Amino acid sequence: MRKSNISVLGIGYVGLCTAVAFASRGYNVIASTHDAEKAAKINKGLPPFHEPNLQNLLKEAIDSGNLKCLVDETEKAVVQTDLTFNAVGTPSRADGSIDLHFIETSSHDIGKALRQKSAYHVVVIKSTVVPGTTQDLVKPLLEKESKKKCGTDFGLCMSPEFLRQGSAFEDTIHTDRIVIGEHDKRSGDTLENLYRDFYGKDMPPMIRTTLATAELIKYASNAMLATKISFINTIANVCEKIPGADVKVVAAAMGLDKRIGPLFLNAGLGYGGSCFPKDVKALIACSRTLGYTPELLESVENVNRAQPLRAVEFCKQQLGSLEGKKIAILGLAFKPDTDDMREARVIPIIIQLLKDGAEITAYDPVAKPTAKTIFNSKIHYATSALECIKNADCAIIVTEWPEFQELTPEDYARNMKQPIVIDGRRIYDPEEYSKELRFTAVGLGK
Ligand code: UDX
């Protein structure tokens, strides 16, 4: 049987990983984006963002001719293929609600392409969209522009993506589950067959459901993980008030309960990134529009907003006034293995430290160029962790890059002006680091 030809719209993490995954398994994939610079990079086999393991696979996909990336040619990409994954961005508006502008314009373009096609085509929404979007916004636009009927002339599905940055490609290939929200049975069958062909004997568990349920599954999953993080950070804040208490041990013991599980219970300075903050806000805004105020999720957000500032409070407890104090910031990315700083917890920390008059030197293995676009020359940038802590009055671990674990208590004691270390991500053994240093960590009772 001929393999389906696939078009992918939008080449962020989801779009690019989807495109490379299908291309790497022999499908002919045409991607399309508005961003000419990104497309040029991709067509040379260079990922437009830092993502481990993606470079070789992308290069192979481009060299094999299975993947090409077009600029602003959505119609052409759709016309030449059998199925379209729409993975365009769905950013937040200022009020936290979701901005569906790119979904709208891409749906117009897909609809125009469908008008030119006689063969059956399935459109799959991969972007994170609030419940109701695929049925009430995408479908009418596709029908209007194509002058065709959804369900008979073309198919429509919603299939959310659960990949994490830093392991984006592995997560695409080895996902825990496939969710197919379907407008009608034929649409769902077509997408299921594609996934079955792609995964073969490694087909993950699959849920077939309505479009709206599929849309909500993505939000509910991210909101649950964000809730776990704000929950454990709440327990961390309680631990800090209790002499001898340690949130890491609490979390490890809790995690052994199969009903709770060990993952996403790492206390720290809160969650950042392109998904959790945006998705929790969008779910709150969407629920409010529907006449329900999700107080639990509002608290999850409030805890996360306050959490990074714990690092500044720790600094003040140790140093008093921060005026003129040299603070070393270790880690800028919102998590390790990415250069992404969207909603990174370091941003409110640095803003507050600067307000308090501190002088900041930061180091991150890959996110320095991103940081420069945010902070320019307001902070200094070091080229290594050791250079960063040199002569500092206080060092804060903000991102748990593995290389920071290699810094010994002696490294800190020898290089810093004052040996004050704040472990915002719980990467160090408190007993070992407390011997030589004035050591504080999130969730550690004094
Ligand atoms: C997340 C979801 O995991 C993924 O399924 C979804 O598709 C997109 O959003 P991502 O944003 O890439 O993925 O990163 P993730 O590893 O989930 O971490 C998000 C944030 O939570 C990071 O800032 C991380 O530091 C923080 N985090 C994570 C914690 O503070 N504690 C934890 O235990 C886990």
Side-chain angles (χ1 to χ4, degrees):
M1 205 176 72
R2 175 178 79 83
K3 275 193 182 314
S4 304
N5 292 328
I6 292 170
S7 40
V8 178
L9 310 182
I11 43 157
Y13 286 84
V14 173
L16 188 57
C17 287
T18 304
V20 172
F22 278 98
S24 72
R25 297 212 173 158
Y27 296 83
N28 180 31
V29 182
I30 307 177
S32 177
T33 173
H34 288 304
D35 192 329
E37 211 178 302
K38 265 191 183 177
K41 274 194 159 179
I42 287 170
N43 285 324
K44 284 186 202 143
L46 300 170
F49 39 75
H50 175 88
E51 181 62 37
N53 305 331
L54 193 60
Q55 175 138 13
N56 290 346
L57 291 153
L58 172 60
K59 181 100 180 52
E60 275 170 36
I62 295 289
D63 290 348
S64 68
N66 287 345
L67 172 63
K68 64 179 171 201
C69 187
L70 308 177
V71 182
D72 271 335
E73 289 195 278
T74 298
E75 279 182 63
K76 190 170 165 190
V78 175
V79 167
Q80 292 180 11
T81 53
D82 307 299
L83 182 142
T84 300
F85 285 111
N86 192 351
V88 295
T90 49
S92 282
R93 290 205 199 95
D95 66 356
S97 65
I98 185 171
D99 179 352
L100 293 168
H101 173 79
F102 296 120
I103 288 282
E104 271 178 53
T105 50
S106 55
S107 298
H108 277 288
D109 293 343
I110 300 170
K112 281 186 206 147
L114 293 179
R115 199 195 298 192
Q116 303 165 44
K117 280 196 75 173
S118 50
Y120 181 73
H121 190 102
V122 177
V123 179
V124 183
I125 301 297
K126 272 252 157 209
S127 314
T128 302
V129 292
V130 288
T133 305
T134 309
Q135 178 72 29
D136 301 335
L137 180 74
V138 176
K139 179 183 158 183
L141 287 173
L142 294 177
E143 288 190 326
K144 181 169 162 253
E145 294 293 350
S146 67
K147 306 217 176 326
K148 290 182 175 176
K149 192 142 179 52
C150 185
T152 43
D153 304 324
F154 66 90
L156 181 60
C157 290
M158 197 283 150
S159 184
E161 176 58 57
F162 302 98
L163 63 79
R164 291 161 299 172
Q165 289 176 223
S167 54
F169 190 76
E170 285 70 30
D171 287 354
T172 307
I173 301 276
H174 303 289
T175 182
D176 289 341
R177 77 289 211 192
I178 295 281
V179 174
I180 297 179
E182 59 200 55
H183 171 272
D184 57 279
K185 186 168 179 316
R186 184 180 176 195
S187 303
D189 286 347
T190 308
L191 184 56
E192 177 176 338
N193 289 339
L194 174 67
Y195 281 137
R196 286 201 182 280
D197 185 55
F198 176 83
Y199 287 104
K201 61 177 176 26
D202 298 324
M203 180 71 186
M206 185 183 56
I207 301 280
R208 280 180 65 168
T209 181
T210 62
L211 295 171
T213 304
E215 290 164 332
L216 188 55
I217 286 169
K218 169 74 187 203
Y219 280 102
S221 301
N222 277 353
M224 177 69 205
L225 294 170
T227 302
K228 276 186 106 172
I229 297 168
S230 279
F231 174 84
I232 203 64
N233 285 337
T234 301
I235 300 298
N237 297 341
V238 175
C239 282
E240 284 163 23
K241 307 270 180 221
I242 304 172
D246 184 349
V247 73
K248 239 184 143 167
V249 183
V250 175
M254 283 173 64
L256 291 173
D257 185 326
K258 290 190 187 63
R259 295 167 301 174
I260 298 173
L263 303 178
F264 279 73
L265 285 181
N266 296 324
L269 297 173
Y271 59 79
S274 64
C275 290
F276 289 170
K278 165 173 95 74
D279 292 353
V280 172
K281 284 190 190 90
L283 185 52
I284 293 171
C286 165
S287 307
R288 281 208 196 111
T289 321
L290 298 168
Y292 174 68
T293 303
E295 287 176 17
L296 175 67
L297 300 180
E298 290 180 332
S299 298
V300 166
E301 248 233 301
N302 292 339
V303 170
N304 198 57
R305 201 175 310 117
Q307 196 63 13
L309 299 176
R310 299 287 303 135
V312 182
E313 284 161 36
F314 285 145
C315 268
K316 286 184 182 160
Q317 280 163 15
Q318 293 284 345
L319 290 168
S321 163
L322 301 183
E323 191 65 47
K325 296 286 181 345
K326 290 186 178 4
I327 311 288
I329 298 279
L330 291 168
L332 292 159
F334 84 92
K335 68 173 197 178
D337 281 330
T338 179
D339 57 355
D340 197 334
M341 285 184 64
R342 281 176 286 178
E343 298 280 342
R345 298 297 77 196
V346 78
I347 297 172
I349 294 174
I350 291 183
I351 290 174
Q352 189 56 49
L353 289 172
L354 288 174
K355 262 192 209 153
D356 290 333
E359 200 182 296
I360 294 170
T361 303
Y363 168 70
D364 188 285
V366 298
K368 179 170 148 187
T370 324
K372 281 194 160 170
T373 65
I374 303 170
F375 294 111
N376 309 309
S377 54
K378 290 193 190 105
I379 64 172
H380 307 288
Y381 302 91
T383 53
S384 71
L386 270 182
E387 185 194 323
C388 184
I389 62 172
K390 201 117 203 134
N391 293 325
D393 291 293
C394 175
I396 310 174
I397 308 292
V398 184
T399 315
E400 63 277 34
W401 284 98
E403 66 177 80
F404 300 154
Q405 255 157 5
E406 286 160 25
L407 288 177
T408 61
E410 296 74 47
D411 288 329
Y412 284 108
R414 214 175 303 128
N415 286 285
M416 294 177 71
K417 196 197 286 174
Q418 305 193 59
I420 299 173
V421 174
I422 295 168
D423 185 353
R425 293 289 176 186
R426 298 305 308 263
I427 63 169
Y428 296 133
D429 172 8
E431 228 174 276
E432 190 192 344
Y433 280 68
S434 297
K435 276 184 205 145
E436 284 188 53
L437 307 172
R438 281 158 66 190
F439 181 80
T440 319
V442 164
L444 196 63
K446 285 286 174 200

